[in-house]
Amino acid sequence: SGFNPIDKNEVVVVNVRDLNRKFDSGMLVDKEALLKEGLISRNDKFVKVLGQGDISKKITVVGLRVSSSAKEKIIKAGGEVK
């Protein structure tokens, strides 16, 4: 078995504006939370948070891939990326 690159179609994108709309300050955002809110489906293997839109809520993003612009916006809003 060799190296299998991730198929771009397997990566599901969630933007910071979606997180801002669906989650309240103080909430933990992980794959399970995204699933519960209907932002991803059970079969989605790879999730990436991108920086489209704005976020004003102080959330903690855990165990997800986060682009540098999204991370910057989450931290600026008082949140964390772990």
Side-chain angles (χ1 to χ4, degrees):
S1 79
F3 172 73
N4 294 326
I6 294 174
D7 181 352
K8 282 275 180 233
N9 298 333
E10 287 185 39
V11 179
V12 178
V13 169
V14 177
N15 282 294
V16 291
R17 66 168 174 236
D18 304 320
L19 301 181
N20 197 58
R21 199 177 69 237
K22 293 280 191 177
F23 298 97
D24 292 321
S25 284
M27 290 183 85
L28 184 77
V29 179
D30 59 8
K31 208 171 168 185
E32 206 54 44
L34 294 176
L35 196 60
K36 201 172 143 197
E37 291 298 330
L39 290 171
I40 64 170
S41 76
R42 179 75 57 203
N43 299 330
D44 295 333
K45 290 184 185 77
F46 304 103
V47 180
K48 182 151 188 184
V49 180
L50 298 183
Q52 199 82 50
D54 291 311
I55 185 161
S56 59
K57 294 174 183 161
K58 186 177 171 179
I59 58 168
T60 302
V61 177
V62 180
L64 300 173
R65 295 164 188 217
V66 181
S67 73
S68 54
S69 65
K71 184 175 183 176
E72 204 175 288
K73 287 181 179 185
I74 291 165
I75 290 169
K76 196 175 174 188
E80 285 182 90
V81 176
K82 294 181 178 179

